[in-house]
Amino acid sequence: AVLPFEAGGEQFYVIGGAFDRVNDQVRNNLALLDASGALADVGFDPAWLAGTDAAVLALAAHDGQLIVGGQFLQAGGATRQRL
């Protein structure tokens, strides 16, 4: 899944799926990319680096919040069952 969104006047992309690396960096099923496709984790919540413990199947944004759905039981190191 790919979700474009804007933060601080910049365009980003959230990608979700079943993967453990993006651009040779460890990313578990969830990653944030800038408009050029480079990892864009700087300045964002460090929970991004933890990702999820199973596949991400859906991404949505609502009122500036990211909603992630999938087969996972943990996201960002916390219990988050599938949503």
Side-chain angles (χ1 to χ4, degrees), residues 5-82:
F5 75 99
E6 189 173 310
E10 294 185 56
Q11 183 70 39
F12 294 94
Y13 297 91
V14 179
I15 60 171
F19 53 84
D20 62 7
R21 298 184 81 73
V22 174
N23 295 344
D24 289 326
Q25 299 293 316
V26 174
R27 295 295 180 273
N28 294 312
N29 309 307
L30 189 63
L32 181 67
L33 306 176
D34 66 18
S36 74
L39 286 168
D41 298 322
V42 176
F44 286 87
D45 187 334
W48 276 99
L49 300 178
T52 64
D53 65 345
V56 170
L57 303 175
L59 299 167
H62 179 71
D63 289 336
Q65 298 292 316
L66 177 64
I67 301 166
V68 179
Q71 299 172 328
F72 53 86
L73 300 177
Q74 289 195 338
T79 300
R80 301 280 186 252
Q81 295 185 358
R82 297 177 178 81

